[in-house]
Amino acid sequence: MTINRTNITALSDKELKDLITSDKYDSRLFALSDSLRREYYGTEVFIRGLIEFTNICKNNCLYCGLRCDNTSLSRYRLSQNDILSACDEGYALGFRTFVLQGGEDTFCTDEYICRIVYAIKTRFPDCAVTLSIGEKSRKSYAAYLSAGATRYLLRHETADYAHYSRLHPASLSLENRKKCLFNLKELGFQTGAGFMVGSPYQTSENIVSDFRFLQELSPDMIGIGPFIPHSETPFAAFPQGSLSLTLRLLALLRIFFPYALIPATTALGTIHPEGREMGLRAGANVLMPNLSPPSVRRLYSLYDNKICTGEEAAECIACLKSRVDSVGYKIVANIGDVRRHNN
Ligand code: 5AD
Ligand code: SF4
Ligand code: FES
């Protein structure tokens, strides 16, 4: 097969599965994905300041260290002042997008979230606010939009119903997760979906379903990263996701969705010291460094051994700049909107 975008996007499920599971095409896939990323985004890398504002969560996802059954974790919630200070620091460092990410913390009502979003937008009118706070009603999403949030991240985690139910408690359903994502799109959010690579029980057929679901949703952002076990979860003994498969899937995502904003995730940087650089070379074009106060970084423990929990934001961004330069790309200080067309 000639490796080009037309051929790859026309593959049958079986052919796509074979491509996902073979390393035979890797160098050609990476060359094609890098040429597409350059066509749409040049060598630019967008940065998003991640503010992990609460590690309190009512849910009990089997893979996640923030699950409510993990009683060994100290829980925190940043005040609005802490959040605004993190934004101040980020703005001075060149960030023009702030991502408010948190567990599903019932204390954070819609009014509470809207107040914070509105305060950030008032202080930084030239910045975008992204929310990543889980499954909410359409009405709640509409309220966040009115308050000034324009982007929303909600990974679908897996597009296979049986697999979804092995990763989540019975209170969560793939059906509702999909409904949330379509609601976000319909309301006009720049919407992000995604999944973990190598999550327990994941098959290559599941990954094909993930690609098919993403084709149906056509999200603006797609976040994938390796599954990494957390010691205080039922999945503590499962192996972490593979680096080479994650990189191959990043390349395939760029080929299927050339316009997309695709982060080289912290999880990828956690399983290999140069994981994020390799992710950029494979097709990723976004980095999401942490702006949370270092005192709480360690407590946002989705998985074990997370990197960058000891550094100040300024140290991380300096470190990242040289890492990005080392692979021939460039961090830019703009709002970094999606580019649906290559012009
Ligand atoms: N390993 C890797 N990623 C994880 N996430 C949650 N737990 C883990 C883990 N153990 C991811 C999920 C979630 C995002 C915020 O973090 O995909 O959507
Ligand atoms: Fe809560 Fe999200 Fe972790 Fe699930 S993945 S337990 S919803 S923080
Ligand atoms: Fe955080 Fe290097 S990127 S310390």
Side-chain angles (χ1 to χ4, degrees), residues 54-127:
T54 174
N55 74 347
I56 300 168
C57 188
K58 68 172 184 195
N59 290 335
N60 211 19
C61 304
L62 278 77
Y63 45 84
C64 176
L66 305 191
R67 65 202 308 270
C68 60
D69 277 2
N70 181 7
T71 51
S72 61
L73 180 66
S74 324
R75 304 285 174 162
Y76 73 90
R77 180 185 305 118
L78 297 182
S79 67
Q80 181 170 310
N81 261 346
D82 291 336
I83 295 171
L84 289 171
S85 303
C87 296
D88 282 338
E89 192 181 352
Y91 193 90
L93 292 168
F95 289 89
R96 295 298 177 266
T97 296
F98 300 114
V99 181
L100 293 177
Q101 184 166 86
E104 293 198 18
D105 179 348
T106 52
F107 182 85
C108 300
T109 58
D110 291 347
E111 295 71 39
Y112 183 96
I113 296 295
C114 288
R115 207 172 320 115
I116 294 172
V117 170
Y118 189 78
I120 298 175
K121 285 297 290 182
T122 307
R123 187 125 138 197
F124 309 101
D126 57 336
C127 293

Side-chain angles (χ1 to χ4, degrees), residues 108-236:
C108 300
T109 58
D110 291 347
E111 295 71 39
Y112 183 96
I113 296 295
C114 288
R115 207 172 320 115
I116 294 172
V117 170
Y118 189 78
I120 298 175
K121 285 297 290 182
T122 307
R123 187 125 138 197
F124 309 101
D126 57 336
C127 293
V129 176
T130 307
L131 289 175
S132 178
I133 54 174
E135 298 185 352
K136 309 282 175 179
S137 68
R138 187 185 173 99
K139 192 160 153 266
S140 299
Y141 290 147
Y144 308 152
L145 193 66
S146 311
T150 50
R151 303 176 181 163
Y152 204 102
L153 303 177
L154 179 66
R155 289 189 178 176
H156 66 281
E157 311 296 357
T158 173
D160 180 272
Y161 285 87
H163 187 217
Y164 194 94
S165 67
R166 300 185 84 170
L167 300 182
H168 297 96
S171 55
L172 295 175
S173 71
L174 177 57
E175 199 183 2
N176 191 54
R177 183 65 57 108
K178 287 186 177 180
K179 196 170 109 231
C180 288
L181 283 163
F182 285 110
N183 278 338
L184 287 161
K185 280 253 337 186
E186 279 169 25
L187 285 164
F189 279 97
Q190 288 183 37
T191 302
F195 58 92
M196 289 176 287
V197 178
S199 59
Y201 315 112
Q202 184 184 55
T203 63
S204 39
E205 285 85 1
N206 295 156
I207 299 174
V208 172
S209 306
D210 290 321
F211 274 73
R212 299 310 183 208
F213 170 66
L214 291 169
Q215 286 180 297
E216 193 191 332
L217 180 68
S218 185
D220 304 285
M221 293 92 80
I222 306 171
I224 67 164
F227 162 75
I228 303 173
H230 185 292
S231 56
E232 298 296 323
T233 65
F235 290 163

Side-chain angles (χ1 to χ4, degrees), residues 27-43:
S27 58
R28 279 171 283 168
L29 288 176
F30 294 141
L32 175 58
S33 70
D34 192 57
S35 79
L36 287 164
R37 84 89 84 196
R38 283 170 197 268
E39 216 178 286
Y40 282 72
Y41 291 98
T43 55

Side-chain angles (χ1 to χ4, degrees), residues 276 289 307-308 311 315-317 319-320 323:
R276 288 167 299 176
I307 52 166
C308 300
E311 283 78 10
E315 296 175 285
C316 257
I317 190 75
C319 173
L320 273 182
R323 288 169 179 268

